[in-house]
Amino acid sequence: MRVATDIGGTFTDLVYIDDHNEVRVEKSSTTPPNFEEGILDVIQKSGINTAEIEDFIHGSTVVINALTERKGAKTALITTKGFRDVLEIARGNRPDLFNIRYKKPEPFVERYLRKEVEERLDADGQIVTKLNIAELEQIIEELKAENVEAIAVVYLHSYLNPIHEIETRKIIQALWPEVFVTVSHEITREWREYERTSSTVLNSYVKPVASTYLNKLSRELAKMSNSRNYVMQSNGGTTTFEHAKELPIHMLESGPVAGVYGSAILGNIIGESNIIAFDIGGTTAKCSLIENGEMKVSTDYYIEKSSFQAGYPVRIPVVDIVEIGNGGGSIAWIDEVGSLKVGPQSAGSRPGPIAYGQGGTEPTTTDANLLTGRLSPENFDYSVNLSKIEEAIKEKIGNPFSMTAVEAALGIIRIANANMLNALKLISIRKGHDPRQFTMVAFGGGGSMHAAALAKEIGIKKVVIPFASAVFSAWGMLMTDLRQDQVITYNRAFSNLDFVELAEQWTMIENDLQQRYVEDGVNENIVFSRFVDVRYVGQEHTVKVPVPSGEWDAEIVDEIIEQFHMLHEKNYTFRLQDTACEIVSLHVTAFGQVRKPELSKHWQNGAINEALKEVRPVYYDQEGWVDTPVYARHLLPTNQIITGPAIVEEKASVTIIEKGQSIFADEYRNLIINTGVEAHE
């Protein structure tokens, strides 16, 4: 049995494939701060025979939570003499340009814990000054006295030659085996001193937390089964628990990317290669773009970056995701100038929306959807008090705007939709993509509820609501391969390439990745994909270009340069055809291909009327109250079309289609929505 669990801000999801190749799902409440309890709860609730679990795949928010809540370890930094303030200096870019009170982000390591040691390499990786071991030993004693829990080691130019970092780690482990150590060359082999330092420090900061969490979870799982345990990574693949404990920063976007990967797999099955993956959970809404079946992966990633904050760079491969604080539990509120806002504050799972009856007092998107008839009280695990919801929305949102409770609830939904629409534009239009050429795959507890309206607004013709959409991210984990990425700086002009040296570099990277799999006890078929980061000479940043395996020659180089011109024009609207190009870094992805379950077809016979549950009034924008037929999803006959307005219900999610739209269930039990947008040639 192959089992996947995904921890969200509100719910913990579980998906597994049973003996008959059928997908089974379960949900339970997330249990912060002891998240492993929620996993054990949902496993127990599902009733599966735990002894039969062969592969356990897990997506977790433990790393991102530790960073955003500043609940990591007391961390120190050891660096080259003269470079202790790299974290403080950071970059000169100020996103909030005209704010004279702007402050740079505060470093995760205070200055008194940033220590300098005598050592130096030059820009070619050659030793200029040997590591001063006596000085290093003194620093270790000082950090012991400060009760430091984790140490980050970042030396100048160690991405080219890690000899001093390796030596430093050996000395620390010999003198202080209990402390957690991260060396920068294992996090990233790319240049840029500040970004390397930031990434290494953040890994150290979360390493004790992640190790403790994974150890506790591993012990609990061992009591149930002899499963192979894997963690979802930010790059869209999985890795072993042991590897994740060493490099936990790769778990940064552990849960969200699984849904994106699942969307790519589903798109391949149903013949859709251009997809916008759209995930609405209890706390956040996330979207990502898949073009020609490929997820966008970048190492130019930041946490806490906004139009007002520079954020903290993390130089690891991360699937390109836009995430906003809008979900089912997002709180509606009025700001100091009297504008209605929704999110980013969330009611979470405890106490949750007012509808949960667990002590929540602030109106949320879920409450607004209940009051407008989009959600039914019957589908909640709690006894829903609609009067209490109406009273809260009227008092806190309606009265300030002289609106009824229902009008205020519709206003909350409109604002939430506007926020989500901005996120969809950021991932598509703002990056040179025409949404009319894409299909939306919507999932998460709230994805299906908002998808049709948002798709119509942005111009998407077709929406797919996958089977088990509420737990689709966990389903995506079931379909993942093992994945490891390595990016190394290799700055060479195309006009001056040594093909023999280049081939040696590719081979070295691939052998290194292969060895990591061997050390992790992974014997699956390994497949490599190659990329180069390219820029025009004189530019600062790069464009990632896929390249073929095997030996290069002049003809292949010309093809790569032309592809770079094309991608640069697509991303930045122009090309410099006569300007010289150069490689900045080499990127290899190693996939450990594992056996995955096949998505089975399911044909449902019968008539549409047999799936009709009820007709209930629903409050629509422009239309007001409309009597709307409500259908049970599991009873929908295959390929029979329903015209809107209509609602399709299942236990954990609801799909809403408006007037002028239509919906049907396909042979894979996906819901296919025609949004009413005219086809685009």
Side-chain angles (χ1 to χ4, degrees):
M1 186 182 291
R2 193 167 162 86
V3 174
T5 58
D6 175 37
I7 297 177
T10 307
F11 292 106
T12 296
D13 303 334
L14 179 141
V15 176
Y16 65 98
I17 307 292
D18 67 13
D19 295 339
H20 305 291
N21 209 33
E22 290 289 329
V23 177
R24 303 294 181 190
V25 304
E26 193 54 77
K27 293 174 83 79
S28 68
S29 295
T30 295
T31 55
N34 301 311
F35 293 101
E36 70 280 357
E37 292 178 9
I39 296 168
L40 301 176
D41 289 345
V42 78
I43 290 174
Q44 185 177 14
K45 191 175 176 183
S46 71
I48 60 177
N49 183 352
T50 55
E52 295 179 359
I53 301 175
E54 292 182 6
D55 294 327
F56 178 85
I57 307 128
H58 179 49
S60 171
T61 56
V62 66
V63 168
I64 190 67
N65 288 346
L67 290 172
T68 56
E69 296 171 11
R70 301 298 190 271
K71 292 182 178 178
K74 186 175 183 179
T75 304
L77 170 66
I78 298 176
T79 190
T80 306
K81 191 173 289 295
F83 286 84
R84 70 187 290 197
D85 292 322
V86 161
L87 278 183
E88 201 99 41
I89 295 167
R91 293 289 173 192
N93 53 322
R94 280 177 52 174
D96 196 7
L97 192 60
F98 299 105
N99 181 359
I100 60 173
R101 295 184 177 87
Y102 173 79
K103 292 182 179 179
K104 286 186 177 181
E106 292 186 11
F108 276 76
V109 180
E110 296 183 61
R111 195 169 193 268
Y112 79 98
L113 292 176
R114 304 200 295 262
K115 303 292 186 179
E116 298 177 347
V117 65
E118 188 178 38
E119 71 84 39
R120 194 64 179 258
L121 305 178
D122 64 18
D124 295 320
Q126 302 300 313
I127 297 175
V128 175
T129 304
K130 287 187 176 182
L131 177 67
N132 188 326
I133 295 175
E135 193 173 30
L136 176 61
E137 290 174 345
Q138 182 182 343
I139 288 170
I140 293 169
E141 292 305 314
E142 291 173 4
L143 296 179
K144 274 185 181 180
E146 292 290 348
N147 296 316
V148 163
E149 299 169 83
I151 299 174
V153 180
V154 187
Y155 291 147
L156 197 66
H157 304 307
S158 59
Y159 63 90
L160 289 171
N161 181 0
I163 184 169
H164 285 168
E165 288 191 349
I166 293 170
E167 189 176 358
T168 297
R169 179 168 57 185
K170 287 179 180 177
I171 292 169
I172 294 172
Q173 289 175 336
L175 297 177
W176 194 6
E178 301 83 14
V179 77
F180 291 85
V181 182
T182 303
V183 288
S184 75
H185 72 273
E186 291 187 349
I187 299 295
T188 176
R189 298 293 291 269
E190 291 186 80
W191 64 10
R192 300 188 189 281
E193 210 59 36
Y194 167 56
E195 286 77 4
R196 288 197 312 116
T197 306
S198 173
S199 305
T200 309
V201 163
L202 293 179
N203 190 80
S204 283
Y205 185 76
V206 299
K207 197 170 182 178
V209 175
S211 294
T212 300
Y213 169 73
L214 290 174
N215 283 334
K216 286 167 69 176
L217 180 56
S218 185
R219 284 195 297 269
E220 294 299 328
L221 291 171
K223 296 175 184 177
M224 302 179 182
S225 69
N226 295 316
S227 59
R228 295 184 294 264
N229 301 325
Y230 302 106
V231 169
M232 192 73 198
Q233 299 183 108
S234 303
N235 60 11
T238 54
T239 190
T240 62
F241 271 29
E242 291 306 312
H243 191 262
K245 284 189 288 186
E246 287 301 312
L247 302 174
I249 198 66
H250 287 279
M251 295 165 58
L252 196 59
E253 292 287 358
S254 178
V257 300
V260 180
Y261 185 83
S263 298
I265 294 293
L266 181 61
N268 182 57
I269 293 170
I270 63 176
E272 297 287 349
S273 58
N274 289 343
I275 286 171
I276 292 177
F278 184 48
D279 176 10
I280 304 177
T283 307
T284 59
K286 299 165 278 284
C287 53
S288 184
L289 186 135
I290 299 158
E291 188 176 26
N292 297 323
E294 294 290 330
M295 297 183 298
K296 306 291 182 183
V297 177
S298 170
T299 57
D300 188 24
Y301 184 79
Y302 291 77
I303 64 166
E304 300 182 13
K305 185 177 183 179
S306 70
S307 56
F308 303 105
Q309 295 294 329
Y312 302 87
V314 187
R315 191 64 80 161
I316 60 168
V318 179
V319 172
D320 188 10
I321 287 180
V322 170
E323 183 170 350
I324 61 169
N326 259 237
S330 293
I331 294 170
W333 55 287
I334 297 173
D335 68 11
E336 62 273 11
V337 296
S339 296
L340 175 60
K341 304 285 186 181
V342 179
Q345 302 94 336
S346 174
S349 59
R350 297 176 180 175
I354 300 169
Y356 288 8
Q358 304 296 303
T361 58
E362 300 300 320
T364 66
T365 309
T366 294
D367 298 314
N369 279 309
L370 259 164
L371 198 60
T372 55
R374 286 162 167 76
L375 291 175
S376 168
E378 296 175 6
N379 290 330
F380 283 74
D381 291 334
Y382 314 99
S383 178
V384 176
N385 188 333
L386 275 174
S387 297
K388 195 172 182 181
I389 294 170
E390 183 175 4
E391 182 182 329
I393 292 178
K394 181 74 169 72
E395 178 188 341
K396 299 193 176 184
I397 308 297
N399 288 342
F401 293 106
S402 301
M403 302 168 78
T404 67
V406 173
E407 288 171 337
L410 186 61
I412 293 170
I413 294 169
R414 283 176 179 166
I415 297 296
N417 280 351
N419 293 339
M420 295 171 193
L421 189 66
N422 285 335
L424 289 169
K425 289 178 179 177
L426 283 172
I427 206 70
S428 57
I429 296 169
R430 290 280 293 274
K431 296 193 175 181
H433 299 281
D434 185 347
R436 295 174 297 179
Q437 297 174 351
F438 287 78
T439 292
M440 178 185 286
V441 175
F443 50 96
S448 56
M449 191 158 21
H450 298 266
L454 290 170
K456 182 179 180 180
E457 184 78 17
I458 203 171
I460 294 172
K461 183 176 185 294
K462 182 178 179 181
V463 176
V464 178
I465 311 296
F467 174 72
S469 63
V471 294
F472 187 70
S473 287
W475 181 86
M477 291 177 200
L478 285 182
M479 311 305 289
T480 53
D481 288 313
L482 298 165
R483 173 170 174 159
Q484 297 197 49
D485 289 80
Q486 184 157 309
V487 185
I488 69 165
T489 296
Y490 185 78
N491 194 208
R492 303 286 190 279
F494 276 108
S495 59
N496 193 30
L497 275 181
D498 182 335
F499 294 141
V500 174
E501 180 194 59
L502 181 62
E504 290 173 351
Q505 289 292 323
W506 287 124
T507 302
M508 179 195 72
I509 298 170
E510 289 175 356
N511 287 344
D512 184 37
L513 290 170
Q514 181 104 35
Q515 183 59 34
R516 289 191 208 171
Y517 278 124
V518 171
E519 290 172 358
D520 287 339
V522 176
N523 300 311
E524 277 78 5
N525 183 32
I526 309 298
V527 175
F528 297 103
S529 295
R530 295 178 178 179
F531 306 86
V532 288
D533 293 318
V534 184
R535 68 183 180 185
Y536 293 116
V537 172
Q539 276 189 325
E540 172 72 0
H541 294 290
T542 62
V543 173
K544 192 172 293 293
V545 181
V547 298
S549 299
E551 299 283 336
W552 285 26
D553 56 28
E555 185 177 345
I556 287 176
V557 168
D558 289 341
E559 291 173 1
I560 293 169
I561 292 173
E562 178 54 35
Q563 192 172 5
F564 163 69
H565 287 312
M566 182 187 70
L567 290 170
H568 192 280
E569 185 174 20
K570 183 170 188 176
N571 282 284
Y572 303 109
T573 74
F574 70 95
R575 64 166 69 196
L576 303 175
Q577 194 74 42
D578 299 325
T579 302
C581 309
E582 63 181 355
I583 296 173
V584 173
S585 54
L586 309 179
H587 180 174
V588 177
T589 300
F591 293 97
Q593 295 182 321
V594 299
R595 179 183 61 83
K596 295 180 283 290
E598 291 184 8
L599 191 61
S600 58
K601 293 183 179 182
H602 180 88
W603 193 272
Q604 179 86 14
N605 293 312
I608 290 288
N609 287 340
E610 294 174 7
L612 184 65
K613 292 177 66 176
E614 63 174 334
V615 176
R616 72 167 179 258
V618 178
Y619 197 76
Y620 294 95
D621 198 3
Q622 308 297 328
E623 302 283 331
W625 288 105
V626 176
D627 287 338
T628 303
V630 180
Y631 298 90
R633 178 169 182 172
H634 70 285
L635 295 177
L636 286 181
T638 305
N639 289 344
Q640 294 194 34
I641 296 174
I642 299 170
T643 56
I647 290 177
V648 177
E649 284 187 346
E650 52 193 305
K651 178 62 178 173
S653 63
V654 170
T655 302
I656 298 172
I657 60 165
E658 300 178 348
K659 185 178 178 180
Q661 300 180 334
S662 63
I663 189 170
F664 69 91
D666 72 2
E667 58 190 356
Y668 291 107
R669 291 186 284 180
N670 303 307
L671 297 180
I672 310 297
I673 300 172
N674 183 326
T675 64
V677 175
E678 293 184 7
H680 171 68
E681 296 298 332

